[in-house]
Amino acid sequence: MSEAPADALLRVEDLHVSFATEDGVVRAVDGITYQVQRGRTLGIVGESGSGKTVASLTTLGLTRSKRSSISGRVLFEGRDLLALPEAELRAIRGNEIAMIFQDPLSSLHPFYRVGAQLIEAIRVHRDVSAKQARTRAIELLGLVGIPDPQRRVDEYPHEFSGGMRQRAMIAMGLANEPKLLIADEPTTALDVTVQAQILALLERLQRELGMAIVIITHDLGVVAEMADDVAVMYAGRIVETASAASLFADPEHPYTWGLLKSIPTLAGSREEDLLPIPGTPPSLIRPPSGCHFHPRCPYAQPDHSRIDPKLEPLTGDPAHHVACLLAPDLRRRLWAELQAGRMPEQALAAVGLQGEPS
Amino acid sequence: MTRYIVRRILWGVALLILVSGVLFVMFRVLPTADPAKLRAGRLQNPKIISEIRADLGLNKPLFTQFWLYLKGIFLHFNLGYSYYSNASVKSLIFSRIPATLSLVLGGAVIWLVTGLTVGIISARRPRSRLDRFSMGGALVLVSAPEYWLGLISLYLFAADIGKWKVFPGAGSYVGLTTDPWGWFTSLILPWFVVAAGNAAIYARLMRGSLIETMDEDYIRTARAKGLSERRVVLHHGVRSAINPILTIFGLDIGVLLGSSVLVETVFDIPGIGRLNYDAITHSDFPIVQGTVLLAALFIIVANILVDIAYAYLDPRVRYS
C-alpha cells in the first residue's frame, strides 16, 4: 500500500499496450498515467481508436494474449493487477472491478435468460445458493429501475428494450458491489432520452453504493454530466487531464479545444460555425513523430514534429496536466480568441504565429 | 408453436405424397420391363401373367392405380410385396431397421463427440501444431470415400482377412438382443467408417463456428464477470457455436438412415441400405420404392425435428 498515494483506488502508471498484427505492431496505449479516487468519477474522452477502451480492458486483464504486450503498472488498492496471475485477477473481475459495455444487446448472451446471467455473475464470486442468487438478481433488477423484476428476471435479452438491456448490464456489473465500475460508452447505442436516464441511474447508484466510476466516452456531454475528473486521450496517450470544472473552463490542449468546439450548444448563436477537427485519427502502427497531434493541429510549429511533449502540470493548477509544446500564455490567448468566435487561422494571426501548413 | 408444428407436419405429409407420386411414375410408368413379368419370375405363361396383372391392378387406369397405391401406403403402410421373395416390403423394412439404426446412431455418437471435441480444442489454439494436425487429418478423412475407408479398415483390422486381426469383419453383424457383445464388436469398424468423414466435417465446422463466436461481445462480458476460461468457452462460446452444427446433425442423421448403402454393403450389415442394394440388383421395384420412400420420410421427419429443436435452442426464434 505504501506505493500508492493515500486514497487512490486505481492508479495506472505508464501503461503501454501493444498488439502484434499482420500489418505491424499497434501501439494502442502508449504510456498513460491516471488515477481514480474512491467514490469519484473519471471520464476518459477520445475518438474511436484513441486507446481508451484498450486501456480499460487491460485493467481487467482482458487484453492479455500471445499477441499483446503490456507494460507499466495498474495498482488497484496498492496491488499491481498486471503482475497478478490470471486466477487472482479473475477473483477481482466482476467482483471488485466491474465493467459494462457499449452495446447491451450484443453484450448479453442471447440464449440465456437475463436472470440466469445475473445469477451466474453473483455465484462466480459469492458462495450462495441458486435461490438466494435469484432473490438477489430480482433485487438488482429492481435497483436499476426495471419494472416488475419478478417477471423480467425470466425473460431473454431480446425481450428487453435497449435501455432496459443496459440497465440489466448495469445490474450485472453491480452484482457484487464493486468498488470500481468501468463503463465503456454506456450510452452510445441508446436513444438520447434513454441516455439521460442511464446516466442519472449511474449517478444515483454511485451515490448509494459509493463506488468509483470510470466512464469512457467520445461524448463531452456525458463527461460534463458525470465526471469529477477528465482525461483526454489521443492516439494512445493522455494529452490533457484535469478536474472537469477546470477542463471545461480552461482547456489547454488544442485537441481538447477541437472536441469542445465541435459540439453544438444551444447557448451559441446559430451563425457560430462548428469547428470540426480536420483529418482522421492517426495510425497506431506508425504514429506521427513528435507530438502525435501535430498533423491535425492548426497551431503546430515546425519543431513540433520533432519534439515529443510530456504531460506536465500547469504552474497555476497542479492538478491540471497537459502535453502541449505551445507556450502556456500562448495557449491561453489562443483559447480566448477561439472563445471569441475566431477561426483557428484568425486566432493564430491574432497571437502573431504562423501555422505550419500540413 | 403448436400451430407451426402442425403446419410443418402437414407440409411433410404433402411432400411425402409428392415423393410417392414421383416414385410411382418412376417404377410403374417408366420401366420398360413389365412388372407382372418380373413378378412372375420363371413361371412366365400368359395366364399367370394376366392373373398377376389383375392381382396387382395393372390393367386399371393409371390414376386408379395411383390412388390405390397412395391409399395402401398412407392408410395401411402397405408398400407392396417383393417380386423376388414375395415377402411384404413393410415386414422386410421393419426387420432391417434395427441394423441401420444401430449403425447410424452409434456412428453419429462417435462423430459428434470426436468432431466437437477436436473442433473445440482446435478453435482454442488456432494455428497450433495440434490445430494444423487435426485440420489436415480432417481434410484427408473428408476426402476419403466411405467404401474405400471400409475396405481399408477390413484389410487392416478384420478378424478374417486383416493384417491385425482385431475386430470382427464383414458379415459378422448380430442383433443387439441376440448377443449384445457380438453386436457391439461387429459394429466397431463400421461405426468408425461412418463416423470418420463426418467427424472431420464436424470438427471443421465446430472450429470455425467457435472461433467466430469467441469474438462476440457477450464472450467479453462473460470474461469480465470473472468466469473461468473453461466456463467461458463451454458455457458461453460452445452453447452458441453448436447451434448451426446441431441443425446439420439432424439432417445428416435423416439422410444417413435412408442411405447408408455403401457401408452396409461393404460390411454386409443387413440394414435398409443393404436391402435397397440387393433389391436394385434384382430389379425388385417394390422394395426399392419402399426404401426410397422411407429415406424421404426420414429426411422430412429430421427436417421437422430440427426446426422444432431450433426454437428450443435459440430463444429468439419463435415460429408463428
mmCIF file of all heavy atoms in Angstrom, chain B residues 96-111 146 173 183 186-195 253 256-257 259-265 267-274:
data_model
loop_
_atom_site.group_PDB
_atom_site.id
_atom_site.type_symbol
_atom_site.label_atom_id
_atom_site.label_comp_id
_atom_site.label_asym_id
_atom_site.label_seq_id
_atom_site.Cartn_x
_atom_site.Cartn_y
_atom_site.Cartn_z
ATOM 1 N N ARG B 96 -35.240 -54.819 -41.103
ATOM 2 C CA ARG B 96 -33.914 -54.264 -41.378
ATOM 3 C C ARG B 96 -33.608 -52.986 -40.593
ATOM 4 O O ARG B 96 -32.454 -52.571 -40.513
ATOM 5 C CB ARG B 96 -33.783 -53.935 -42.872
ATOM 6 C CG ARG B 96 -33.918 -55.140 -43.787
ATOM 7 C CD ARG B 96 -32.842 -56.167 -43.502
ATOM 8 N NE ARG B 96 -32.839 -57.233 -44.495
ATOM 9 C CZ ARG B 96 -31.985 -57.297 -45.509
ATOM 10 N NH1 ARG B 96 -31.081 -56.371 -45.661
ATOM 11 N NH2 ARG B 96 -32.047 -58.292 -46.354
ATOM 12 N N ILE B 97 -34.654 -52.339 -40.070
ATOM 13 C CA ILE B 97 -34.429 -51.046 -39.409
ATOM 14 C C ILE B 97 -33.452 -51.127 -38.224
ATOM 15 O O ILE B 97 -32.571 -50.269 -38.094
ATOM 16 C CB ILE B 97 -35.771 -50.398 -39.000
ATOM 17 C CG1 ILE B 97 -36.392 -49.760 -40.254
ATOM 18 C CG2 ILE B 97 -35.581 -49.336 -37.922
ATOM 19 C CD1 ILE B 97 -37.696 -49.055 -40.006
ATOM 20 N N PRO B 98 -33.543 -52.156 -37.349
ATOM 21 C CA PRO B 98 -32.631 -52.151 -36.190
ATOM 22 C C PRO B 98 -31.158 -52.072 -36.586
ATOM 23 O O PRO B 98 -30.386 -51.334 -35.958
ATOM 24 C CB PRO B 98 -32.936 -53.485 -35.503
ATOM 25 C CG PRO B 98 -34.317 -53.826 -35.922
ATOM 26 C CD PRO B 98 -34.488 -53.274 -37.306
ATOM 27 N N ALA B 99 -30.760 -52.813 -37.625
ATOM 28 C CA ALA B 99 -29.348 -52.808 -38.013
ATOM 29 C C ALA B 99 -28.921 -51.420 -38.474
ATOM 30 O O ALA B 99 -27.858 -50.910 -38.076
ATOM 31 C CB ALA B 99 -29.108 -53.826 -39.120
ATOM 32 N N THR B 100 -29.762 -50.780 -39.305
ATOM 33 C CA THR B 100 -29.412 -49.442 -39.783
ATOM 34 C C THR B 100 -29.376 -48.441 -38.633
ATOM 35 O O THR B 100 -28.465 -47.616 -38.535
ATOM 36 C CB THR B 100 -30.420 -48.998 -40.857
ATOM 37 O OG1 THR B 100 -30.304 -49.873 -41.968
ATOM 38 C CG2 THR B 100 -30.142 -47.584 -41.302
ATOM 39 N N LEU B 101 -30.374 -48.527 -37.747
ATOM 40 C CA LEU B 101 -30.379 -47.624 -36.595
ATOM 41 C C LEU B 101 -29.117 -47.810 -35.765
ATOM 42 O O LEU B 101 -28.476 -46.833 -35.354
ATOM 43 C CB LEU B 101 -31.600 -47.905 -35.713
ATOM 44 C CG LEU B 101 -32.894 -47.159 -36.041
ATOM 45 C CD1 LEU B 101 -33.971 -47.551 -35.036
ATOM 46 C CD2 LEU B 101 -32.675 -45.657 -36.017
ATOM 47 N N SER B 102 -28.732 -49.069 -35.524
ATOM 48 C CA SER B 102 -27.526 -49.337 -34.731
ATOM 49 C C SER B 102 -26.317 -48.694 -35.384
ATOM 50 O O SER B 102 -25.517 -48.021 -34.728
ATOM 51 C CB SER B 102 -27.260 -50.838 -34.634
ATOM 52 O OG SER B 102 -28.387 -51.512 -34.175
ATOM 53 N N LEU B 103 -26.214 -48.923 -36.696
ATOM 54 C CA LEU B 103 -25.049 -48.412 -37.415
ATOM 55 C C LEU B 103 -25.013 -46.887 -37.372
ATOM 56 O O LEU B 103 -24.006 -46.274 -36.986
ATOM 57 C CB LEU B 103 -25.104 -48.897 -38.869
ATOM 58 C CG LEU B 103 -24.033 -48.308 -39.780
ATOM 59 C CD1 LEU B 103 -22.664 -48.843 -39.373
ATOM 60 C CD2 LEU B 103 -24.312 -48.647 -41.244
ATOM 61 N N VAL B 104 -26.124 -46.253 -37.738
ATOM 62 C CA VAL B 104 -26.134 -44.796 -37.892
ATOM 63 C C VAL B 104 -26.030 -44.098 -36.537
ATOM 64 O O VAL B 104 -25.224 -43.173 -36.368
ATOM 65 C CB VAL B 104 -27.399 -44.349 -38.642
ATOM 66 C CG1 VAL B 104 -27.510 -42.841 -38.633
ATOM 67 C CG2 VAL B 104 -27.369 -44.881 -40.066
ATOM 68 N N LEU B 105 -26.808 -44.543 -35.564
ATOM 69 C CA LEU B 105 -26.792 -43.827 -34.285
ATOM 70 C C LEU B 105 -25.456 -44.002 -33.573
ATOM 71 O O LEU B 105 -24.901 -43.047 -33.026
ATOM 72 C CB LEU B 105 -27.955 -44.279 -33.403
ATOM 73 C CG LEU B 105 -29.335 -43.934 -33.987
ATOM 74 C CD1 LEU B 105 -30.443 -44.284 -33.003
ATOM 75 C CD2 LEU B 105 -29.426 -42.459 -34.377
ATOM 76 N N GLY B 106 -24.901 -45.234 -33.617
ATOM 77 C CA GLY B 106 -23.593 -45.449 -32.997
ATOM 78 C C GLY B 106 -22.532 -44.586 -33.657
ATOM 79 O O GLY B 106 -21.742 -43.914 -32.991
ATOM 80 N N GLY B 107 -22.541 -44.596 -34.999
ATOM 81 C CA GLY B 107 -21.580 -43.770 -35.730
ATOM 82 C C GLY B 107 -21.774 -42.300 -35.395
ATOM 83 O O GLY B 107 -20.808 -41.559 -35.201
ATOM 84 N N ALA B 108 -23.045 -41.887 -35.285
ATOM 85 C CA ALA B 108 -23.340 -40.474 -35.026
ATOM 86 C C ALA B 108 -22.774 -40.030 -33.680
ATOM 87 O O ALA B 108 -22.210 -38.940 -33.556
ATOM 88 C CB ALA B 108 -24.841 -40.241 -35.074
ATOM 89 N N VAL B 109 -22.931 -40.910 -32.676
ATOM 90 C CA VAL B 109 -22.393 -40.557 -31.355
ATOM 91 C C VAL B 109 -20.882 -40.347 -31.470
ATOM 92 O O VAL B 109 -20.331 -39.360 -30.964
ATOM 93 C CB VAL B 109 -22.715 -41.664 -30.325
ATOM 94 C CG1 VAL B 109 -21.938 -41.430 -29.041
ATOM 95 C CG2 VAL B 109 -24.212 -41.698 -30.053
ATOM 96 N N ILE B 110 -20.218 -41.263 -32.171
ATOM 97 C CA ILE B 110 -18.757 -41.162 -32.284
ATOM 98 C C ILE B 110 -18.355 -39.887 -33.027
ATOM 99 O O ILE B 110 -17.498 -39.127 -32.590
ATOM 100 C CB ILE B 110 -18.183 -42.398 -33.011
ATOM 101 C CG1 ILE B 110 -18.452 -43.646 -32.160
ATOM 102 C CG2 ILE B 110 -16.679 -42.240 -33.251
ATOM 103 C CD1 ILE B 110 -17.992 -44.918 -32.816
ATOM 104 N N TRP B 111 -19.023 -39.627 -34.165
ATOM 105 C CA TRP B 111 -18.568 -38.468 -34.933
ATOM 106 C C TRP B 111 -18.912 -37.161 -34.234
ATOM 107 O O TRP B 111 -18.169 -36.195 -34.307
ATOM 108 C CB TRP B 111 -19.035 -38.524 -36.379
ATOM 109 C CG TRP B 111 -20.312 -37.842 -36.766
ATOM 110 C CD1 TRP B 111 -20.616 -36.511 -36.579
ATOM 111 C CD2 TRP B 111 -21.441 -38.404 -37.440
ATOM 112 N NE1 TRP B 111 -21.856 -36.244 -37.082
ATOM 113 C CE2 TRP B 111 -22.388 -37.384 -37.624
ATOM 114 C CE3 TRP B 111 -21.722 -39.671 -37.920
ATOM 115 C CZ2 TRP B 111 -23.607 -37.590 -38.254
ATOM 116 C CZ3 TRP B 111 -22.941 -39.863 -38.563
ATOM 117 C CH2 TRP B 111 -23.880 -38.841 -38.723
ATOM 118 N N GLU B 146 -16.195 -43.424 -48.466
ATOM 119 C CA GLU B 146 -16.589 -44.322 -47.383
ATOM 120 C C GLU B 146 -16.263 -45.786 -47.694
ATOM 121 O O GLU B 146 -15.750 -46.504 -46.851
ATOM 122 C CB GLU B 146 -18.093 -44.193 -47.166
ATOM 123 C CG GLU B 146 -18.453 -43.745 -45.784
ATOM 124 C CD GLU B 146 -19.950 -43.528 -45.656
ATOM 125 O OE1 GLU B 146 -20.734 -44.085 -46.461
ATOM 126 O OE2 GLU B 146 -20.328 -42.803 -44.738
ATOM 127 N N TYR B 173 -22.365 -59.145 -38.331
ATOM 128 C CA TYR B 173 -23.388 -58.454 -37.560
ATOM 129 C C TYR B 173 -24.378 -59.419 -36.920
ATOM 130 O O TYR B 173 -24.874 -60.337 -37.561
ATOM 131 C CB TYR B 173 -24.160 -57.478 -38.457
ATOM 132 C CG TYR B 173 -25.292 -56.779 -37.743
ATOM 133 C CD1 TYR B 173 -25.042 -55.651 -36.974
ATOM 134 C CD2 TYR B 173 -26.593 -57.270 -37.819
ATOM 135 C CE1 TYR B 173 -26.074 -55.022 -36.300
ATOM 136 C CE2 TYR B 173 -27.629 -56.645 -37.148
ATOM 137 C CZ TYR B 173 -27.365 -55.524 -36.385
ATOM 138 O OH TYR B 173 -28.369 -54.893 -35.719
ATOM 139 N N TRP B 183 -22.890 -57.838 -31.063
ATOM 140 C CA TRP B 183 -23.443 -56.668 -31.749
ATOM 141 C C TRP B 183 -22.453 -55.509 -31.688
ATOM 142 O O TRP B 183 -22.112 -54.898 -32.688
ATOM 143 C CB TRP B 183 -24.768 -56.283 -31.077
ATOM 144 C CG TRP B 183 -25.375 -54.978 -31.497
ATOM 145 C CD1 TRP B 183 -26.172 -54.778 -32.576
ATOM 146 C CD2 TRP B 183 -25.267 -53.720 -30.830
ATOM 147 N NE1 TRP B 183 -26.558 -53.467 -32.631
ATOM 148 C CE2 TRP B 183 -26.013 -52.796 -31.569
ATOM 149 C CE3 TRP B 183 -24.602 -53.295 -29.678
ATOM 150 C CZ2 TRP B 183 -26.114 -51.453 -31.205
ATOM 151 C CZ3 TRP B 183 -24.708 -51.963 -29.307
ATOM 152 C CH2 TRP B 183 -25.458 -51.058 -30.073
ATOM 153 N N SER B 186 -19.059 -56.227 -33.574
ATOM 154 C CA SER B 186 -19.203 -56.296 -35.032
ATOM 155 C C SER B 186 -19.400 -54.902 -35.623
ATOM 156 O O SER B 186 -19.123 -54.681 -36.797
ATOM 157 C CB SER B 186 -20.384 -57.188 -35.400
ATOM 158 O OG SER B 186 -21.593 -56.527 -35.066
ATOM 159 N N LEU B 187 -19.888 -53.980 -34.815
ATOM 160 C CA LEU B 187 -20.176 -52.650 -35.355
ATOM 161 C C LEU B 187 -19.021 -51.659 -35.188
ATOM 162 O O LEU B 187 -19.075 -50.543 -35.697
ATOM 163 C CB LEU B 187 -21.439 -52.084 -34.702
ATOM 164 C CG LEU B 187 -22.756 -52.631 -35.280
ATOM 165 C CD1 LEU B 187 -23.931 -52.240 -34.408
ATOM 166 C CD2 LEU B 187 -22.967 -52.149 -36.704
ATOM 167 N N ILE B 188 -17.966 -52.058 -34.453
ATOM 168 C CA ILE B 188 -16.899 -51.091 -34.179
ATOM 169 C C ILE B 188 -16.300 -50.535 -35.470
ATOM 170 O O ILE B 188 -16.248 -49.316 -35.670
ATOM 171 C CB ILE B 188 -15.801 -51.733 -33.293
ATOM 172 C CG1 ILE B 188 -16.385 -51.974 -31.894
ATOM 173 C CG2 ILE B 188 -14.586 -50.810 -33.198
ATOM 174 C CD1 ILE B 188 -15.442 -52.665 -30.940
ATOM 175 N N LEU B 189 -15.895 -51.422 -36.351
ATOM 176 C CA LEU B 189 -15.306 -50.927 -37.605
ATOM 177 C C LEU B 189 -16.305 -50.094 -38.421
ATOM 178 O O LEU B 189 -15.982 -48.973 -38.827
ATOM 179 C CB LEU B 189 -14.755 -52.085 -38.439
ATOM 180 C CG LEU B 189 -13.405 -52.669 -37.985
ATOM 181 C CD1 LEU B 189 -12.965 -53.759 -38.956
ATOM 182 C CD2 LEU B 189 -12.338 -51.585 -37.888
ATOM 183 N N PRO B 190 -17.516 -50.617 -38.670
ATOM 184 C CA PRO B 190 -18.477 -49.798 -39.436
ATOM 185 C C PRO B 190 -18.745 -48.436 -38.788
ATOM 186 O O PRO B 190 -18.833 -47.425 -39.479
ATOM 187 C CB PRO B 190 -19.746 -50.651 -39.433
ATOM 188 C CG PRO B 190 -19.297 -52.034 -39.164
ATOM 189 C CD PRO B 190 -18.036 -51.945 -38.373
ATOM 190 N N TRP B 191 -18.860 -48.420 -37.464
ATOM 191 C CA TRP B 191 -19.091 -47.143 -36.786
ATOM 192 C C TRP B 191 -17.992 -46.141 -37.118
ATOM 193 O O TRP B 191 -18.257 -44.991 -37.431
ATOM 194 C CB TRP B 191 -19.141 -47.356 -35.268
ATOM 195 C CG TRP B 191 -20.482 -47.826 -34.762
ATOM 196 C CD1 TRP B 191 -21.683 -47.697 -35.389
ATOM 197 C CD2 TRP B 191 -20.744 -48.501 -33.534
ATOM 198 N NE1 TRP B 191 -22.674 -48.242 -34.625
ATOM 199 C CE2 TRP B 191 -22.133 -48.748 -33.470
ATOM 200 C CE3 TRP B 191 -19.948 -48.914 -32.463
ATOM 201 C CZ2 TRP B 191 -22.742 -49.384 -32.388
ATOM 202 C CZ3 TRP B 191 -20.559 -49.545 -31.381
ATOM 203 C CH2 TRP B 191 -21.939 -49.786 -31.350
ATOM 204 N N PHE B 192 -16.756 -46.625 -37.015
ATOM 205 C CA PHE B 192 -15.667 -45.682 -37.261
ATOM 206 C C PHE B 192 -15.632 -45.224 -38.713
ATOM 207 O O PHE B 192 -15.310 -44.074 -38.991
ATOM 208 C CB PHE B 192 -14.326 -46.274 -36.807
ATOM 209 C CG PHE B 192 -14.106 -46.048 -35.345
ATOM 210 C CD1 PHE B 192 -14.425 -47.019 -34.412
ATOM 211 C CD2 PHE B 192 -13.647 -44.814 -34.893
ATOM 212 C CE1 PHE B 192 -14.277 -46.788 -33.048
ATOM 213 C CE2 PHE B 192 -13.484 -44.582 -33.539
ATOM 214 C CZ PHE B 192 -13.804 -45.571 -32.609
ATOM 215 N N VAL B 193 -15.996 -46.124 -39.613
ATOM 216 C CA VAL B 193 -16.010 -45.723 -41.025
ATOM 217 C C VAL B 193 -17.108 -44.685 -41.270
ATOM 218 O O VAL B 193 -16.890 -43.669 -41.924
ATOM 219 C CB VAL B 193 -16.187 -46.957 -41.930
ATOM 220 C CG1 VAL B 193 -16.416 -46.518 -43.363
ATOM 221 C CG2 VAL B 193 -14.952 -47.837 -41.841
ATOM 222 N N VAL B 194 -18.293 -44.935 -40.703
ATOM 223 C CA VAL B 194 -19.382 -43.951 -40.843
ATOM 224 C C VAL B 194 -18.970 -42.628 -40.198
ATOM 225 O O VAL B 194 -19.223 -41.542 -40.721
ATOM 226 C CB VAL B 194 -20.676 -44.472 -40.181
ATOM 227 C CG1 VAL B 194 -21.703 -43.357 -40.057
ATOM 228 C CG2 VAL B 194 -21.247 -45.617 -40.982
ATOM 229 N N ALA B 195 -18.305 -42.722 -39.047
ATOM 230 C CA ALA B 195 -18.006 -41.522 -38.269
ATOM 231 C C ALA B 195 -16.865 -40.709 -38.876
ATOM 232 O O ALA B 195 -16.859 -39.479 -38.761
ATOM 233 C CB ALA B 195 -17.664 -41.905 -36.834
ATOM 234 N N ILE B 253 -28.303 -37.218 -39.921
ATOM 235 C CA ILE B 253 -28.848 -38.477 -39.407
ATOM 236 C C ILE B 253 -29.990 -38.925 -40.308
ATOM 237 O O ILE B 253 -30.082 -40.097 -40.696
ATOM 238 C CB ILE B 253 -29.379 -38.280 -37.973
ATOM 239 C CG1 ILE B 253 -28.234 -37.906 -37.048
ATOM 240 C CG2 ILE B 253 -30.112 -39.522 -37.501
ATOM 241 C CD1 ILE B 253 -27.715 -39.023 -36.227
ATOM 242 N N LEU B 256 -28.635 -40.233 -43.558
ATOM 243 C CA LEU B 256 -27.876 -41.472 -43.412
ATOM 244 C C LEU B 256 -28.779 -42.669 -43.108
ATOM 245 O O LEU B 256 -28.530 -43.784 -43.568
ATOM 246 C CB LEU B 256 -26.857 -41.285 -42.287
ATOM 247 C CG LEU B 256 -25.570 -42.075 -42.437
ATOM 248 C CD1 LEU B 256 -24.931 -41.793 -43.782
ATOM 249 C CD2 LEU B 256 -24.614 -41.708 -41.321
ATOM 250 N N LEU B 257 -29.851 -42.441 -42.351
ATOM 251 C CA LEU B 257 -30.765 -43.540 -42.032
ATOM 252 C C LEU B 257 -31.363 -44.112 -43.310
ATOM 253 O O LEU B 257 -31.634 -45.297 -43.413
ATOM 254 C CB LEU B 257 -31.886 -43.041 -41.114
ATOM 255 C CG LEU B 257 -31.526 -42.922 -39.641
ATOM 256 C CD1 LEU B 257 -32.680 -42.301 -38.872
ATOM 257 C CD2 LEU B 257 -31.193 -44.294 -39.063
ATOM 258 N N SER B 259 -29.880 -43.916 -46.332
ATOM 259 C CA SER B 259 -28.962 -44.194 -47.439
ATOM 260 C C SER B 259 -27.567 -44.619 -47.008
ATOM 261 O O SER B 259 -26.587 -44.198 -47.585
ATOM 262 C CB SER B 259 -28.835 -42.939 -48.304
ATOM 263 O OG SER B 259 -28.224 -41.923 -47.532
ATOM 264 N N SER B 260 -27.492 -45.473 -45.994
ATOM 265 C CA SER B 260 -26.154 -45.950 -45.617
ATOM 266 C C SER B 260 -25.817 -47.189 -46.447
ATOM 267 O O SER B 260 -25.410 -48.217 -45.920
ATOM 268 C CB SER B 260 -26.101 -46.255 -44.130
ATOM 269 O OG SER B 260 -27.182 -47.075 -43.779
ATOM 270 N N VAL B 261 -26.002 -47.043 -47.752
ATOM 271 C CA VAL B 261 -25.868 -48.192 -48.652
ATOM 272 C C VAL B 261 -24.438 -48.731 -48.681
ATOM 273 O O VAL B 261 -24.202 -49.935 -48.530
ATOM 274 C CB VAL B 261 -26.294 -47.803 -50.085
ATOM 275 C CG1 VAL B 261 -26.133 -48.990 -51.019
ATOM 276 C CG2 VAL B 261 -27.723 -47.310 -50.081
ATOM 277 N N LEU B 262 -23.478 -47.806 -48.834
ATOM 278 C CA LEU B 262 -22.100 -48.250 -49.055
ATOM 279 C C LEU B 262 -21.544 -49.011 -47.868
ATOM 280 O O LEU B 262 -21.010 -50.111 -48.017
ATOM 281 C CB LEU B 262 -21.219 -47.048 -49.401
ATOM 282 C CG LEU B 262 -21.532 -46.401 -50.747
ATOM 283 C CD1 LEU B 262 -20.714 -45.140 -50.939
ATOM 284 C CD2 LEU B 262 -21.263 -47.391 -51.872
ATOM 285 N N VAL B 263 -21.683 -48.427 -46.681
ATOM 286 C CA VAL B 263 -21.095 -49.073 -45.510
ATOM 287 C C VAL B 263 -21.790 -50.401 -45.224
ATOM 288 O O VAL B 263 -21.149 -51.408 -44.919
ATOM 289 C CB VAL B 263 -21.171 -48.132 -44.291
ATOM 290 C CG1 VAL B 263 -20.642 -48.828 -43.055
ATOM 291 C CG2 VAL B 263 -20.363 -46.877 -44.555
ATOM 292 N N GLU B 264 -23.107 -50.419 -45.349
ATOM 293 C CA GLU B 264 -23.829 -51.663 -45.088
ATOM 294 C C GLU B 264 -23.437 -52.736 -46.101
ATOM 295 O O GLU B 264 -23.386 -53.929 -45.777
ATOM 296 C CB GLU B 264 -25.337 -51.420 -45.136
ATOM 297 C CG GLU B 264 -25.822 -50.671 -43.907
ATOM 298 C CD GLU B 264 -27.337 -50.487 -43.886
ATOM 299 O OE1 GLU B 264 -28.026 -51.100 -44.718
ATOM 300 O OE2 GLU B 264 -27.802 -49.714 -43.031
ATOM 301 N N THR B 265 -23.144 -52.311 -47.322
ATOM 302 C CA THR B 265 -22.760 -53.293 -48.334
ATOM 303 C C THR B 265 -21.351 -53.810 -48.073
ATOM 304 O O THR B 265 -21.104 -55.017 -48.079
ATOM 305 C CB THR B 265 -22.844 -52.664 -49.733
ATOM 306 O OG1 THR B 265 -24.136 -52.090 -49.881
ATOM 307 C CG2 THR B 265 -22.627 -53.708 -50.808
ATOM 308 N N PHE B 267 -19.676 -53.918 -45.291
ATOM 309 C CA PHE B 267 -19.581 -54.730 -44.081
ATOM 310 C C PHE B 267 -20.669 -55.799 -44.019
ATOM 311 O O PHE B 267 -20.795 -56.492 -43.024
ATOM 312 C CB PHE B 267 -19.651 -53.841 -42.838
ATOM 313 C CG PHE B 267 -18.402 -53.032 -42.634
ATOM 314 C CD1 PHE B 267 -18.330 -51.719 -43.058
ATOM 315 C CD2 PHE B 267 -17.293 -53.604 -42.017
ATOM 316 C CE1 PHE B 267 -17.183 -50.987 -42.869
ATOM 317 C CE2 PHE B 267 -16.149 -52.869 -41.831
ATOM 318 C CZ PHE B 267 -16.081 -51.559 -42.270
ATOM 319 N N ASP B 268 -21.481 -55.874 -45.062
ATOM 320 C CA ASP B 268 -22.545 -56.860 -45.125
ATOM 321 C C ASP B 268 -23.433 -56.806 -43.877
ATOM 322 O O ASP B 268 -23.634 -57.792 -43.183
ATOM 323 C CB ASP B 268 -21.942 -58.266 -45.303
ATOM 324 C CG ASP B 268 -23.003 -59.240 -45.795
ATOM 325 O OD1 ASP B 268 -24.094 -58.762 -46.189
ATOM 326 O OD2 ASP B 268 -22.757 -60.452 -45.759
ATOM 327 N N ILE B 269 -23.920 -55.598 -43.595
ATOM 328 C CA ILE B 269 -24.822 -55.416 -42.458
ATOM 329 C C ILE B 269 -26.250 -55.437 -43.000
ATOM 330 O O ILE B 269 -26.564 -54.705 -43.932
ATOM 331 C CB ILE B 269 -24.542 -54.070 -41.760
ATOM 332 C CG1 ILE B 269 -23.134 -54.097 -41.160
ATOM 333 C CG2 ILE B 269 -25.584 -53.787 -40.687
ATOM 334 C CD1 ILE B 269 -22.663 -52.744 -40.698
ATOM 335 N N PRO B 270 -27.103 -56.281 -42.448
ATOM 336 C CA PRO B 270 -28.456 -56.400 -43.001
ATOM 337 C C PRO B 270 -29.350 -55.219 -42.618
ATOM 338 O O PRO B 270 -30.263 -55.361 -41.806
ATOM 339 C CB PRO B 270 -28.959 -57.713 -42.386
ATOM 340 C CG PRO B 270 -28.223 -57.830 -41.101
ATOM 341 C CD PRO B 270 -26.883 -57.192 -41.306
ATOM 342 N N GLY B 271 -29.070 -54.080 -43.194
ATOM 343 C CA GLY B 271 -29.868 -52.892 -42.896
ATOM 344 C C GLY B 271 -30.653 -52.461 -44.116
ATOM 345 O O GLY B 271 -30.712 -53.164 -45.124
ATOM 346 N N ILE B 272 -31.243 -51.273 -44.013
ATOM 347 C CA ILE B 272 -32.075 -50.746 -45.096
ATOM 348 C C ILE B 272 -31.247 -50.550 -46.368
ATOM 349 O O ILE B 272 -31.691 -50.840 -47.475
ATOM 350 C CB ILE B 272 -32.668 -49.378 -44.690
ATOM 351 C CG1 ILE B 272 -33.399 -49.472 -43.364
ATOM 352 C CG2 ILE B 272 -33.568 -48.836 -45.782
ATOM 353 C CD1 ILE B 272 -34.747 -50.062 -43.447
ATOM 354 N N GLY B 273 -30.039 -50.047 -46.201
ATOM 355 C CA GLY B 273 -29.185 -49.768 -47.344
ATOM 356 C C GLY B 273 -28.852 -51.046 -48.105
ATOM 357 O O GLY B 273 -28.918 -51.108 -49.327
ATOM 358 N N ARG B 274 -28.540 -52.061 -47.344
ATOM 359 C CA ARG B 274 -28.215 -53.365 -47.931
ATOM 360 C C ARG B 274 -29.444 -53.928 -48.659
ATOM 361 O O ARG B 274 -29.356 -54.461 -49.757
ATOM 362 C CB ARG B 274 -27.787 -54.292 -46.786
ATOM 363 C CG ARG B 274 -27.461 -55.698 -47.193
ATOM 364 C CD ARG B 274 -26.100 -55.765 -47.793
ATOM 365 N NE ARG B 274 -26.122 -56.661 -48.934
ATOM 366 C CZ ARG B 274 -25.070 -57.343 -49.371
ATOM 367 N NH1 ARG B 274 -23.899 -57.190 -48.777
ATOM 368 N NH2 ARG B 274 -25.169 -58.123 -50.395
#
